[in-house]
Amino acid sequence: MKRIFLALALAAFLPFAAYGQEEASRPAAGGLKFSLGPSYRHFRSVSFEKVATPAYKGFLDAYGNLHDYAGIRNYVDSQIGTSGPLRSLDVTVVDFGGTAIGSRGGYGDGESTGFNLGLAIPLWKNESLSLNAVANFQYFSLSSSAGNAFHRPGNAYIEHYFTGSTAAPYTDPSDFALGFHGNSRSHFSLDLFVFDAGFSLGYHPWEKLTTYLSGGPSLSLADMESSTYATLAIDGAQPAVRREEKKEREWEWGLYAAIGAAYQISETFGLAAEFRYDEAFGTVGTRLAKQDLDGWGGTLKFLFAF
């Protein structure tokens, strides 16, 4: 439906452009018009890729403190020695294979507001209709974060060690569940530069008021930064942390259609307001987050004629 709406908006200009060629002898009224004002777009929530929490393998000492598994042999030797009378030690080993957590983040109205610079070039006009070539530049700066907490079971089992033995320890075949918990945090920021060009067909119900329909292709440049942070904890200890950052720049083509009204306060100054819909041909993002650029919005324009 959205693509049909955009296609119809663009196709609407074709008969009027042809009519304008037939009446090319008529000069276009007025000169260039520049516009400046705030712009708003209702952006969809950013979709964060699932955050991979750290995997971890460790052991508990005699006091219940958690240590990395790489140090288990040194711990065993410190407890029962490397020579002398045969002694044994049972060590509790904990093993967590990791998990993945997904989330979505939204934007506030302040972040969805940017600014717009515009240019209109008169092509043709009669008493009630006009045709302009138009171009716009918009800028938005977005930032979103989302976090999740998790609780997952991990395996725990007993390894049996003996004094002076260099062989692999005997593992008790019976294991038991041990709870791991942690937090994940994802962040995404986007500087979006939108360029568009097209045509605007205006209708003049009276001298100072113009209603118009405009549309055309758009090109967006997305400058993005994203990061993830995940922690893993057990029994109050935090044995593992994982961080990752990604930066990307991406171009994306699309279409836009707008409908609006303009009021000419004087020969030089005017005001315009328009409702606009943008559709991109794809999404933008990094390996950690994806952003859909489709959305409706509006623009308030201060007009300057030359």
Side-chain angles (χ1 to χ4, degrees):
M1 179 63 69
K2 294 181 295 185
R3 293 184 183 275
I4 294 175
F5 168 67
L6 290 167
L8 290 175
L10 296 176
F13 299 121
L14 296 179
F16 291 99
Y19 181 67
Q21 290 180 348
E22 294 176 2
E23 304 237 347
S25 59
R26 295 191 183 186
L32 298 179
K33 286 187 178 180
F34 293 91
S35 63
L36 170 66
S39 186
Y40 176 85
R41 187 187 297 189
H42 182 72
F43 288 94
R44 300 180 183 180
S45 298
V46 58
S47 178
F48 291 108
E49 299 297 324
K50 288 187 175 181
V51 178
T53 65
Y56 182 75
K57 188 175 183 180
F59 69 93
L60 298 174
D61 64 19
Y63 302 99
N65 298 317
L66 191 63
H67 305 271
D68 288 341
Y69 188 80
I72 194 169
R73 181 64 67 172
N74 290 334
Y75 170 72
V76 169
D77 292 344
S78 70
Q79 296 298 306
I80 61 176
T82 58
S83 61
L86 182 64
R87 301 170 62 190
S88 66
L89 181 69
D90 294 342
V91 183
T92 300
V93 177
V94 296
D95 192 358
F96 181 70
T99 188
I101 306 172
S103 59
R104 296 180 69 86
Y107 303 107
D109 290 337
E111 292 172 309
S112 298
T113 302
F115 71 85
N116 176 288
L117 295 174
L119 171 66
I121 303 174
L123 299 179
W124 167 84
K125 183 178 182 180
N126 66 12
E127 292 181 356
S128 58
L129 297 175
S130 62
L131 182 67
N132 295 333
V134 293
N136 295 280
F137 166 73
Q138 294 183 91
Y139 170 74
F140 299 94
S141 182
L142 308 173
S143 180
S144 182
S145 297
N148 271 321
F150 69 91
H151 184 84
R152 299 286 190 277
N155 291 329
Y157 52 89
I158 304 298
E159 290 185 348
H160 303 279
Y161 290 85
F162 299 93
T163 300
S165 175
T166 58
Y170 169 73
T171 301
D172 194 317
S174 61
D175 59 2
F176 52 94
L178 195 64
F180 284 80
H181 60 90
N183 293 279
S184 70
R185 192 74 178 170
S186 299
H187 178 77
F188 177 75
S189 61
L190 166 65
D191 287 326
L192 183 65
F193 307 85
V194 185
F195 309 87
D196 65 66
F199 296 96
S200 176
L201 174 66
Y203 171 69
H204 312 278
W206 63 80
E207 183 180 0
K208 292 189 175 184
L209 180 66
T210 302
T211 58
Y212 60 89
L213 176 68
S214 62
S218 65
L219 179 61
S220 299
L221 171 61
D223 188 0
M224 299 163 286
E225 294 185 5
S226 58
S227 63
T228 63
Y229 175 86
T231 63
L232 180 67
I234 179 174
D235 293 335
Q238 185 173 294
V241 175
R242 172 173 289 171
R243 294 182 177 90
E244 188 174 359
E245 295 182 356
K246 290 293 181 182
K247 296 181 180 181
E248 295 284 349
R249 282 185 178 177
E250 189 174 346
W251 293 91
E252 188 63 44
W253 287 97
L255 294 171
Y256 87 95
I259 184 170
Y263 182 78
Q264 200 66 32
I265 300 173
S266 66
E267 292 185 0
T268 305
F269 302 105
L271 289 174
E274 68 179 39
F275 175 84
R276 169 175 171 141
Y277 183 81
D278 285 85
E279 180 171 352
F281 295 154
T283 61
V284 297
T286 70
R287 197 182 70 80
L288 304 178
K290 297 296 181 184
Q291 177 66 55
D292 191 333
L293 298 180
D294 296 354
W296 58 266
T299 303
L300 178 64
K301 298 182 177 182
F302 299 92
L303 308 177
F304 308 92
F306 293 89

